[in-house]
Amino acid sequence: DDQSIHEIDVKDTGENSCGDRSDDEDQNDKWNFYDQHESTRAQSTQKVNTRESCCSDSSEDDEQNDKWIVYEHIVATSVSIGEQVNESDEVILNETHSIKKESSLDTETFEDEILRDVGLDNIKKEVLQMLKTDGPRNTIHYMNDNASMWKHATVKIAVAGKSSVGKSAFINAIRNVKSTDDGSAEEGLGDTTLVVQEYKHPKNKEIIYCDLPGYGTVIMTRETFLEKVNLLEYDLFFIFIDPVPTEDDQWLIEQLRKADKEFCFVKAKLDQDMKNLKRMGMTAENALAKIKKPIVDATKTMPTIHGDVNIFLISNTNFSIGEMVKLVSFIKAKVPKLKFEAIAFCLSSFAKEVIEMKYETLQKRISPLALSLSLSDDSMLNVVRAENELGLYYDVFGLDIALNQQPPNLRHPFSPDCIGTLLNSLCDEPLGVLTKMVPIYSTVVAYRSFKKFFKQLLDELKDDCLTVHKYAISKRQKELSLPKC
């Protein structure tokens, strides 16, 4: 099992440190042990099954013999990994045997466990049906496929508006791309294209921000725009304005209403506007209201919307200023859950509210993952799945990078050894020799243990992310307060 293999890993590490063994030899020994252990377990399990099939009404002597078969299995396994069987194991054997006698009730208990789990609300009916008709293996495949669907969800967000309103800077900022990076949108050049420019997110190529050509110009008339731009292929439209919407923007809204497409107005460059109003002694709240008022007044005169439109004021250089969080909430409300999951996983952790959205999205993955791991009898594959999920947590929270100056008091600071340490602690939790002797019981126990482990780790990594966020804000404020040379 995984725990035994891990113990051999520790032992082999000690031998390698002396320079006596090569990595290939160590790997071969681990596989030889794994094959030997699986063979021993299969033989012992076969003995137990044979006795159960032959004697449905076992006497006290038969029950004692059954306990000795289990005991022999533990002895064989313990000898293989260099452990000793002591007197306390007799108590465990009695408990194991009593659980084994009641295993006929455990299937119902397992179904109840699934039905009670709110984390499986979206798929519990399908899971229970598949377990009955298709078996655990196909159920595992279904849940694994379901958990990775976000990777294949294509999201296309159109960024529209006239030139020099901050479209390119926004496309770079939302993808966490610098203007000097490969694949960045060219900023400050105005409308130089007559076709749609697509910019894929570097972390997920299925998330695409599309810079639409300007409309209502001599070169790009409204009719030409509709010929070149298929409005139906986009999930959302961000219409950038400065300072207020134009007649051409109103025309575009009419087309979007006909196509039944969601849209909003976005005004960028908020940091510049706020800085100017701050010099006039205006508070941040009053400054936002003053900047937004002429936009709201202009939309009230548009016959298509009569002021019924979402307006967001943002800064492309600092998402923590203004209403970027509200824009993200707008995206969440307007796109399918699967697509928002993909978007949320790729957003930078620029605000506490966004970190909470990421946390909630990751939390929904825990129960399906725990069920998949607990149903599987492939321990080595389980380690790979768990490692991938841990890596996803670090990536989504933005904790998978080595910071120049590590914030203090992080529970799980990122390092080359951090994932391995967490995996070792996971293998010590629900996996063990005895749980393999009573499959249904061990599934319930492992299910609960996996959920507890991933929930606790996710909580701690969320706290780490909040700590890094707070640290970054403090550092930024200190830099801004420094006198300029």
Side-chain angles (χ1 to χ4, degrees), residues 236-267:
L236 279 177
F237 285 78
F238 297 160
I239 305 175
F240 276 68
I241 58 175
D242 188 25
V244 294
T246 65
E247 291 184 1
D248 291 316
D249 295 329
Q250 179 178 328
W251 167 82
L252 177 59
I253 290 174
E254 292 173 358
Q255 309 309 310
L256 295 177
R257 283 285 172 88
K258 292 177 183 178
D260 194 26
K261 287 296 178 179
E262 298 286 351
F263 63 90
C264 66
F265 284 134
V266 180
K267 186 181 186 307

Side-chain angles (χ1 to χ4, degrees), residues 28-71:
N28 289 334
D29 280 354
K30 281 189 276 186
W31 278 111
N32 291 335
F33 164 76
Y34 184 80
D35 293 340
Q36 177 185 358
H37 172 63
E38 289 298 306
S39 175
T40 304
R41 189 178 72 180
Q43 293 173 4
S44 300
T45 305
Q46 184 178 6
K47 291 180 182 180
V48 174
N49 293 338
T50 302
R51 292 190 62 83
E52 287 180 342
S53 62
C54 296
C55 307
S56 58
D57 299 324
S58 59
S59 63
E60 293 182 0
D61 291 339
D62 292 333
E63 292 179 358
Q64 189 66 25
N65 289 335
D66 281 344
K67 288 163 61 177
W68 276 109
I69 292 176
V70 179
Y71 180 79

Side-chain angles (χ1 to χ4, degrees), residues 173 176 178 270-272 275 278 314-322 348-351 405 407 467-484:
N176 201 25
K178 297 179 181 179
L270 179 62
D271 49 333
Q272 299 176 14
K275 189 178 295 184
K278 186 178 180 181
I314 69 168
S315 166
N316 289 330
T317 59
N318 186 359
F319 280 166
S320 63
I321 298 176
S348 61
S349 302
F350 62 86
Q405 188 174 354
T467 299
V468 172
H469 171 66
K470 184 178 179 180
Y471 174 82
I473 291 177
S474 175
K475 185 177 180 181
R476 184 184 183 92
Q477 290 175 342
K478 289 180 180 179
E479 291 174 350
L480 292 175
S481 65
L482 292 175
K484 295 183 178 180

